[in-house]
Amino acid sequence: MTFSSAITEVNVDLGNKSYPIYIGENILPDLGKYLKKPQMGLATGTKIMVVTNPLVYDLYGRTVMDSLAEAGFTPIPGEVPDGEEYKTLDSAEHLYDVAFDNGLDRKSVVLALGGGVIGDLAGFVAATYMRGVTFIQVPTTLLAQVDSSVGGKVAVNHPRGKNIIGAFYQPKMVFTDIRTLHTLAQREFRAGMAEVVKYGVIWDCEFFDFLVNEHAGVMNLNTPEVTRVISTSCSIKARVVEQDETEQDVRAILNYGHTFGHAYEALTNYKKFVHGEAVAIGMISAAVAAVRLGMLSAGNLERIKNIIRLYGLPENFGALAPKEIIASMGHDKKAVGGNIKYILPEDIGRVKIVSGIDNDVLTGILSQQV
Amino acid sequence: MTFSSAITEVNVDLGNKSYPIYIGENILPDLGKYLKKPQMGLATGTKIMVVTNPLVYDLYGRTVMDSLAEAGFTPIPGEVPDGEEYKTLDSAEHLYDVAFDNGLDRKSVVLALGGGVIGDLAGFVAATYMRGVTFIQVPTTLLAQVDSSVGGKVAVNHPRGKNIIGAFYQPKMVFTDIRTLHTLAQREFRAGMAEVVKYGVIWDCEFFDFLVNEHAGVMNLNTPEVTRVISTSCSIKARVVEQDETEQDVRAILNYGHTFGHAYEALTNYKKFVHGEAVAIGMISAAVAAVRLGMLSAGNLERIKNIIRLYGLPENFGALAPKEIIASMGHDKKAVGGNIKYILPEDIGRVKIVSGIDNDVLTGILSQQV
């Protein structure tokens, strides 16, 4: 479906769970109009619970609610407090209450308006309310636009681990309004760029070079550059997820930087680093490991370090004991049978999955990068 | 796979989510041996959380745990209190804790040992722990053996409605040991027979006649009769679910007796009737409605009433106001856009989905059946 020439469409091809991602400027005021098109299959009057937080609601809530109402839908606000600490079963229960009290049924819609926390939480509610209702994502942060909008991972946190309770549940469609990036904090934008850089390293050398060469245009939020950043990232993630929806094998390459990164986040109680920052440091850790194992050239390690610096992301985790980092990685939910999988770059644009690295080697690597 | 000539196998054919149901005597002591077969794909040492309640654990817990341990698995007890009131997110959280504390990972197994409540709850945990782990069902009540073991509906209750929070998640296999019926309370067995009778009415006239003619053998728990009761019920449900896994259309026929039945349960606070009893009364309500609408002969209504009497099930809901019953049905999660779907018999072995019945007609029907 083409709305207008200004909208870029990326398709995620998952058989009968396929869905489109629409990327463009000023999508939000027209959201109702888009959803009303017959091919969307949403009847007039359909109840749409708009899951968001007060911060996002202040910026875009009215626009979205009005747009939906004008198009003949029945929008219902589903608000949760802002912050990862509210990505819990308690928040999900609150949203079940709102849904139930407002008479949402199996033909209703749950719409996520916000960043990754909102997307994960709303998606979990959509996946489990009445055994699954239509889920629409409207991501408003770069991280959500390039990462959580593709792949159907939805979850809430457990007191003892992030994303422990969740499902694979695909949205019916995703709408990305790049204008929302203008209100995004600089730190959050840079953190989102860590995931974007990741796609270059694991899959696409040309895209990596584009990110280096067009750094100014990207940081300036120029429309062509930002559109390419988001659409290429979504395309790469889509190609990976299409091969392996439920992460049995190849999808693991998306965890490049994350195995180490999750440990850095956890050991600093999710306070020192935002997710993308920890991933940036983790990408360097993995690249250092790759060099140590003779898989990657020192020159390519430098290129990875340089692009992370270029986007103002941190390179070091600071004062953490290698022993603790290794123990923390063993608790990651991706560790199977205690065996940790590492995603290590072989070149810019190509990674390899390596099962297990000797503890002494790991300690050596981690002692360096403080 | 054939274990022995004494085991009847029913296959649920859902593409890459297909699974077998094994029905036989004395399966529990050999459970570990069955699960160890290479085609099961479970590695030695695999952690298996056995979800059960104290009542079932006393009867079969030791047998199952020992059998799993002897086969080289690592069984972990996951106990919740007995009763529908514990089919909650709180119980699920308790089981997530047990799973996490015992180091269950993505290759681990959640095994449900018990009736429908245990199956639904354990299934929900299996569907959502780390975004889904292997789920094995060992149903120990007739209702669970003929109903919840087929179709992948898993759920917990919400304070304002049953099964409001759930998913469609198929087990990897089901083991039904018919010996467990010898320890099942008579009332529970009869209630399970309500669902069995349902399969006859909606799908299979010959099976209906078998249930009438072989009533004594069934109630006496004779092996051939009980095996046919369970395997035919599972086969019918499998054929329906195969056509419509996520209940978009034809699967709705399985709700015969349930639209009315849920209202009778809800309006008596789930205290007066067990589920199957409410379904039995509901099947009569739907049959009375079908006669009133000229769809069913009076003779067939009598046959339905007779079989329900034969299995010692109640025929009337007692003192409930028709107005309240109608309002309660409108809140059922199967009601879409306020429109209630009724499953009405046209003959023994054939039903039709009817959208909406006039309130006056409904009131008339319900005023009769008190």
Side-chain angles (χ1 to χ4, degrees):
Chain A
M1 168 172 46
T2 310
F3 293 118
S4 84
S5 58
I7 293 207
T8 302
E9 183 175 339
V10 174
N11 280 292
V12 185
D13 187 4
L14 295 167
N16 62 1
K17 287 178 284 182
S18 297
Y19 63 93
I21 300 171
Y22 302 112
I23 303 156
E25 281 189 297
N26 267 321
I27 286 186
L28 294 187
D30 291 329
L31 192 60
K33 228 155 62 185
Y34 296 145
L35 292 179
K36 215 167 94 174
K37 299 198 178 238
Q39 60 268 52
M40 297 295 186
L42 299 176
T44 302
T46 294
K47 289 175 179 171
I48 302 179
M49 180 165 73
V50 178
V51 177
T52 189
N53 64 38
L55 196 74
V56 177
Y57 195 89
D58 279 353
L59 291 166
Y60 305 112
R62 211 56 270 161
T63 304
V64 167
M65 300 287 285
D66 287 351
S67 169
L68 295 174
E70 273 161 31
F73 297 113
T74 308
I76 290 144
E79 220 175 80
V80 291
D82 184 30
E84 175 91 29
E85 65 269 37
Y86 296 102
K87 201 177 101 176
T88 59
L89 273 182
D90 279 351
S91 293
E93 285 197 74
H94 166 65
L95 294 172
Y96 296 135
D97 288 346
V98 171
F100 200 81
D101 290 346
N102 286 280
L104 266 76
D105 62 31
R106 292 175 172 194
K107 297 280 181 203
S108 302
V109 172
V110 172
L111 186 151
L113 175 67
V117 168
I118 290 293
D120 284 5
L121 171 63
F124 182 76
V125 169
T128 52
Y129 183 68
M130 295 197 175
R131 296 200 179 91
V133 297
T134 297
F135 178 40
I136 294 175
Q137 278 185 282
V138 184
T140 60
T141 67
L142 181 60
L143 182 61
Q145 290 165 354
V146 300
D147 183 20
S148 38
S149 66
V150 187
K153 281 192 176 181
V154 299
V156 295
N157 297 330
H158 180 275
R160 300 182 221 180
K162 282 179 77 171
N163 297 322
I164 291 293
I165 305 159
F168 288 94
Y169 196 73
Q170 306 298 336
K172 184 161 173 156
M173 54 200 103
V174 178
F175 293 93
T176 290
D177 187 336
I178 64 174
R179 280 295 186 95
T180 57
L181 297 177
H182 289 270
T183 55
L184 188 64
Q186 188 71 202
R187 186 180 179 189
E188 292 298 328
F189 183 81
R190 291 182 188 281
M193 284 308 298
E195 297 281 351
V196 173
V197 165
K198 180 191 79 177
Y199 293 119
V201 177
I202 67 168
W203 199 266
D204 188 340
C205 177
E206 204 186 312
F207 184 50
F208 184 95
D209 289 337
F210 160 82
L211 295 173
V212 173
N213 298 331
E214 304 304 330
H215 165 257
V218 171
M219 289 307 293
N220 197 37
L221 299 181
N222 291 357
T223 298
E225 284 85 345
V226 168
T227 302
R228 178 159 172 197
V229 159
I230 297 172
S231 62
T232 304
S233 296
C234 289
S235 293
I236 293 172
K237 184 160 183 186
R239 294 305 86 78
V240 174
V241 169
E242 282 159 11
Q243 289 176 50
D244 175 24
E245 188 185 346
T246 56
E247 195 162 341
Q248 304 302 308
D249 41 63
V250 65
R251 185 166 176 163
I253 68 171
L254 296 172
N255 296 322
Y256 170 55
H258 287 63
T259 312
F260 290 98
H262 284 156
Y264 305 148
E265 283 184 278
L267 294 173
T268 53
N269 294 314
Y270 299 95
K271 289 198 175 114
K272 184 168 174 184
F273 304 115
V274 297
H275 177 68
E277 291 168 350
V279 168
I281 306 168
M283 289 195 287
I284 294 178
S285 305
V288 171
V291 171
R292 185 70 58 98
L293 297 173
M295 292 167 55
L296 184 75
S297 71
N300 278 331
L301 168 59
E302 278 315 303
R303 288 172 74 194
I304 292 172
K305 283 187 176 176
N306 282 337
I307 196 171
I308 283 169
R309 261 181 230 126
L310 188 62
Y311 280 97
L313 289 159
E315 293 167 71
N316 303 309
F317 49 77
L320 294 175
K323 215 174 122 181
E324 281 177 17
I325 296 170
I326 296 167
S328 175
M329 289 194 292
H331 279 110
D332 194 278
K333 74 176 174 312
K334 274 141 198 156
V336 167
N339 198 357
I340 306 168
K341 275 193 224 167
Y342 298 90
I343 316 302
L344 306 185
E346 298 184 293
D347 197 348
I348 303 300
R350 204 173 73 238
V351 287
K352 201 177 158 178
I353 304 175
V354 173
S355 266
I357 300 179
D358 186 83
N359 269 2
D360 289 347
V361 175
L362 272 177
T363 306
I365 294 160
L366 293 167
S367 308
Q368 236 182 345
Q369 190 195 2
V370 286
Chain B
M1 170 172 47
T2 310
F3 292 117
S4 84
S5 59
I7 293 206
T8 303
E9 183 175 340
V10 175
N11 281 292
V12 185
D13 188 3
L14 294 167
N16 62 1
K17 287 177 283 183
S18 297
Y19 63 93
I21 300 172
Y22 303 111
I23 303 157
E25 279 189 299
N26 267 322
I27 286 186
L28 294 188
D30 290 330
L31 192 60
K33 229 156 58 187
Y34 296 145
L35 292 180
K36 216 168 95 175
K37 301 202 176 236
Q39 61 268 51
M40 298 295 186
L42 299 177
T44 302
T46 294
K47 289 176 179 170
I48 302 180
M49 179 165 75
V50 178
V51 178
T52 188
N53 65 39
L55 196 74
V56 178
Y57 195 90
D58 279 353
L59 292 165
Y60 307 111
R62 212 55 270 160
T63 304
V64 167
M65 300 287 285
D66 287 351
S67 170
L68 295 174
E70 273 162 31
F73 297 113
T74 309
I76 290 145
E79 219 176 82
V80 292
D82 183 30
E84 175 91 30
E85 65 269 38
Y86 296 101
K87 201 177 100 175
T88 59
L89 272 182
D90 278 353
S91 294
E93 285 196 76
H94 165 65
L95 294 171
Y96 295 135
D97 287 348
V98 172
F100 200 80
D101 289 348
N102 286 281
L104 267 77
D105 62 30
R106 292 174 173 195
K107 297 280 182 202
S108 302
V109 172
V110 173
L111 186 151
L113 175 66
V117 168
I118 289 293
D120 284 5
L121 171 63
F124 182 75
V125 169
T128 51
Y129 183 68
M130 295 199 175
R131 296 202 180 89
V133 298
T134 296
F135 177 40
I136 293 175
Q137 278 185 282
V138 184
T140 60
T141 66
L142 181 60
L143 182 60
Q145 289 166 353
V146 299
D147 183 19
S148 37
S149 66
V150 187
K153 282 192 176 182
V154 299
V156 295
N157 297 330
H158 180 275
R160 300 183 222 180
K162 282 180 77 171
N163 297 322
I164 291 294
I165 305 160
F168 288 94
Y169 196 73
Q170 307 298 337
K172 185 163 172 154
M173 54 200 103
V174 178
F175 294 93
T176 290
D177 187 336
I178 64 173
R179 280 295 187 94
T180 57
L181 297 177
H182 289 270
T183 55
L184 188 65
Q186 188 73 203
R187 187 180 180 189
E188 293 297 329
F189 183 80
R190 292 182 187 281
M193 284 308 297
E195 297 281 351
V196 174
V197 165
K198 180 191 80 176
Y199 293 120
V201 177
I202 66 169
W203 197 267
D204 189 339
C205 177
E206 203 186 312
F207 184 51
F208 184 95
D209 290 337
F210 160 83
L211 295 173
V212 173
N213 299 331
E214 305 303 331
H215 166 256
V218 171
M219 288 308 292
N220 198 37
L221 300 182
N222 291 358
T223 298
E225 283 85 345
V226 168
T227 303
R228 178 159 173 196
V229 158
I230 297 172
S231 62
T232 304
S233 296
C234 289
S235 293
I236 293 172
K237 184 160 183 187
R239 296 304 87 78
V240 174
V241 169
E242 282 159 10
Q243 290 175 51
D244 175 25
E245 188 186 347
T246 57
E247 196 162 340
Q248 304 303 308
D249 42 63
V250 65
R251 185 167 176 163
I253 69 170
L254 297 172
N255 297 322
Y256 170 54
H258 286 64
T259 312
F260 290 99
H262 283 157
Y264 305 149
E265 283 184 278
L267 293 174
T268 53
N269 294 315
Y270 301 96
K271 288 197 176 114
K272 183 168 177 184
F273 304 115
V274 297
H275 177 68
E277 291 169 349
V279 168
I281 306 168
M283 289 195 288
I284 294 178
S285 305
V288 170
V291 171
R292 185 70 58 98
L293 295 173
M295 291 167 56
L296 185 75
S297 71
N300 279 332
L301 168 59
E302 278 316 303
R303 288 171 75 192
I304 293 172
K305 282 187 176 175
N306 282 337
I307 197 171
I308 283 169
R309 261 181 230 128
L310 189 62
Y311 280 97
L313 289 159
E315 295 167 72
N316 304 310
F317 50 77
L320 294 176
K323 215 173 125 181
E324 280 177 19
I325 297 170
I326 296 168
S328 176
M329 291 194 292
H331 279 110
D332 194 278
K333 73 178 174 313
K334 275 139 198 158
V336 167
N339 198 358
I340 306 167
K341 275 194 224 168
Y342 298 89
I343 316 302
L344 305 186
E346 297 185 293
D347 198 349
I348 303 299
R350 202 172 74 241
V351 287
K352 199 176 159 178
I353 304 175
V354 172
S355 266
I357 299 180
D358 186 84
N359 269 1
D360 289 347
V361 174
L362 273 177
T363 306
I365 295 160
L366 294 167
S367 308
Q368 234 181 349
Q369 189 195 4
V370 285

